[in-house]
Amino acid sequence: MREIDDREAERHKAKMAKRKAVQDAEVGAKTVEKGLLIVNTGPGKGKTTAAFGLALRMLGHGRRVGVVQFIKGAWHSGEKDAFEAFGDRVSWHTMGEGFTWETQDLQRDIAAAERAWAKAVELMADPSIGLVVLDELNIALRYNYLDLETVVETLKARRDDLHVAVTGRNAKPALVEAADLVTEMGQVKHHFAAGVKAQKGVEF
Amino acid sequence: MREIDDREAERHKAKMAKRKAVQDAEVGAKTVEKGLLIVNTGPGKGKTTAAFGLALRMLGHGRRVGVVQFIKGAWHSGEKDAFEAFGDRVSWHTMGEGFTWETQDLQRDIAAAERAWAKAVELMADPSIGLVVLDELNIALRYNYLDLETVVETLKARRDDLHVAVTGRNAKPALVEAADLVTEMGQVKHHFAAGVKAQKGVEF
């Protein structure tokens, strides 16, 4: 175990007491309560998993959660199975038909995105729901499957107490502008580059 | 609904067919199966929530998950309550005593980190566990509460089929070096800056 002498202990204590005062003042200055528009974007991993982590928090606080997957299709995923433990407290909707290079059908991709958006609007209107996850909505916007202005205006007009988490690479600037909390997941290192395949529990 | 003419539909189809060929070749080239050392770092949000999202995936695949919180203390969190839905399939250990500026006691912080690490080693040795989340381990390493070399060597020597996810800002270079998958969460925009307080279901 690392040895601490009295002087180091004292210095640490004084420094931390000062830091606590700053911290408390900062926390005290924040008073606004509101439902947040959250965007997880960037090329790195963790955009969708972080949104599902938020869903878990919300469930832990006794609220219901809605999930709409805009791109992913019938693909079997661990998170979907896990959310079944919460019964009808999770309203899960896989509305995509798979990646664009799987369907190879632009008209069909657009129709799927529009059905997904209609479901999103329905979930956002449900007052029993505290968080709606719009998984890969950014992809549908990037390929112009949906009208950007309509989507952004609808998200901005959400209920005061509703959190919405949008995921996917290349978030549109207008969406970032409207959001309260935007995180860019940057890829520092990825196991795919070392020849490692998609791992159960990590990628799906 | 957006109108697509035949030429656009054909162009799209050809482009996506090409993309699928590239994608399939890439996926086929990846053959290694291994438990990953995952690091979520950076100043942005989503480091811990993404790790818990992975935990959810793992649970969905029927595996058990271990969680050790190195810094957070008795703080009540939504994710902890939510994981109770999985019973003893989640082995949860909050071993911290709160933020360093709360305890203001260096010796106590070090002792807590050492107890947390001992628990982490125990969970990593349990063959029923598929993923161990070491939440905020990076903070304990940053303040030299734990010996970096011991930690990194132990993580590298983990079981072949064990995934480990380490979270916290300022990941040490030696840990990044040892990791398979490293994501840097960058803060683009944060609601705290707009005076919004920590929100239930988002921050805790």
Side-chain angles (χ1 to χ4, degrees):
Chain A
M1 181 155 170
R2 196 176 134 202
E3 291 296 327
I4 306 299
D5 66 23
D6 289 353
R7 271 186 61 193
E8 191 180 354
E10 274 310 306
R11 263 202 319 270
H12 177 86
K13 193 174 174 183
K15 195 172 143 191
M16 289 302 139
K18 209 179 277 180
R19 182 149 170 209
K20 179 165 165 54
V22 172
Q23 202 78 20
D24 287 351
E26 277 185 10
V27 170
K30 298 178 182 80
T31 51
V32 181
E33 292 268 4
K34 70 174 288 201
L36 302 174
L37 177 55
I38 298 164
V39 176
N40 293 345
T41 190
K45 263 195 78 75
K47 299 181 286 292
T48 296
T49 40
F52 289 150
L54 285 182
L56 204 66
R57 280 197 178 150
M58 200 57 80
L59 290 164
H61 288 297
R63 302 296 306 272
R64 293 186 69 226
V65 169
V67 177
V68 179
Q69 293 193 294
F70 277 76
I71 303 295
K72 274 181 201 139
W75 175 306
H76 178 91
S77 74
E79 56 267 33
K80 189 179 171 189
D81 288 358
F83 277 129
E84 278 172 13
F86 300 96
D88 69 356
R89 293 182 52 219
V90 178
S91 183
W92 184 288
H93 306 273
T94 302
M95 308 292 284
E97 307 222 333
F99 292 110
T100 48
W101 59 88
E102 295 290 348
T103 64
Q104 302 180 17
D105 184 335
L106 185 54
Q107 193 75 66
R108 196 171 132 188
D109 288 349
I110 292 172
E114 287 178 344
R115 283 194 304 273
W117 177 246
K119 180 55 75 177
V121 168
E122 184 192 315
L123 293 174
M124 289 191 286
D126 180 341
S128 73
I129 287 179
L131 167 73
V132 175
V133 176
L134 303 178
D135 190 38
E136 308 280 18
L137 171 59
N138 287 338
I139 309 298
L141 291 173
R142 182 189 182 188
Y143 290 116
N144 298 313
Y145 293 170
L146 297 170
D147 179 60
L148 177 63
E149 203 187 321
T150 306
V151 168
V152 171
E153 290 309 313
T154 307
L155 293 176
K156 281 165 80 171
R158 73 192 178 281
R159 286 180 279 128
D160 279 351
D161 62 340
L162 177 70
H163 300 290
V164 175
V166 175
T167 78
R169 294 181 182 217
N170 302 102
K172 292 278 187 181
L175 180 64
V176 169
E177 176 63 34
D180 300 290
L181 170 60
V182 181
T183 306
E184 166 95 8
M185 274 68 176
Q187 182 171 306
V188 178
K189 199 178 202 180
H190 201 293
H191 51 289
F192 286 176
V196 178
K197 61 195 281 197
Q199 300 292 298
K200 193 187 275 191
V202 178
E203 268 77 33
F204 57 94
Chain B
M1 180 154 171
R2 195 177 136 203
E3 291 295 327
I4 307 297
D5 66 23
D6 288 352
R7 270 186 62 192
E8 191 180 355
E10 273 310 307
R11 263 203 315 273
H12 177 85
K13 190 169 183 219
K15 196 172 143 193
M16 290 303 139
K18 210 178 278 180
R19 184 151 168 207
K20 178 164 166 54
V22 173
Q23 202 78 20
D24 287 351
E26 277 184 10
V27 170
K30 298 179 183 80
T31 51
V32 182
E33 292 269 5
K34 69 175 287 199
L36 302 173
L37 177 55
I38 299 164
V39 176
N40 293 343
T41 190
K45 264 195 77 75
K47 300 181 285 294
T48 295
T49 40
F52 289 150
L54 285 183
L56 204 65
R57 279 197 180 151
M58 199 57 79
L59 290 163
H61 288 297
R63 302 297 305 271
R64 292 185 70 225
V65 169
V67 177
V68 179
Q69 294 194 293
F70 277 76
I71 303 296
K72 273 179 201 139
W75 174 307
H76 177 91
S77 74
E79 56 267 31
K80 190 180 170 188
D81 288 359
F83 277 128
E84 278 171 13
F86 299 95
D88 70 355
R89 294 183 52 218
V90 178
S91 183
W92 185 287
H93 306 273
T94 302
M95 308 291 287
E97 306 222 331
F99 292 110
T100 49
W101 57 88
E102 296 291 347
T103 64
Q104 301 180 18
D105 184 335
L106 185 54
Q107 193 74 66
R108 196 171 132 189
D109 289 349
I110 292 173
E114 287 178 344
R115 282 194 304 273
W117 177 246
K119 179 55 74 179
V121 169
E122 183 192 318
L123 293 174
M124 288 190 286
D126 180 341
S128 73
I129 287 179
L131 168 72
V132 175
V133 176
L134 303 178
D135 190 38
E136 308 280 17
L137 171 59
N138 287 338
I139 310 298
L141 291 173
R142 183 189 181 187
Y143 290 116
N144 298 312
Y145 293 171
L146 297 170
D147 179 61
L148 177 63
E149 204 187 321
T150 306
V151 169
V152 170
E153 290 308 314
T154 306
L155 293 175
K156 280 164 81 169
R158 72 193 180 280
R159 284 180 281 129
D160 279 351
D161 62 338
L162 177 70
H163 301 290
V164 175
V166 175
T167 77
R169 294 181 182 217
N170 302 103
K172 292 278 188 181
L175 180 64
V176 169
E177 176 64 33
D180 300 292
L181 171 60
V182 181
T183 306
E184 166 95 9
M185 274 68 175
Q187 182 172 304
V188 178
K189 197 179 204 180
H190 202 294
H191 50 289
F192 286 175
V196 178
K197 61 195 283 196
Q199 301 292 299
K200 192 187 275 190
V202 177
E203 267 75 34
F204 57 93

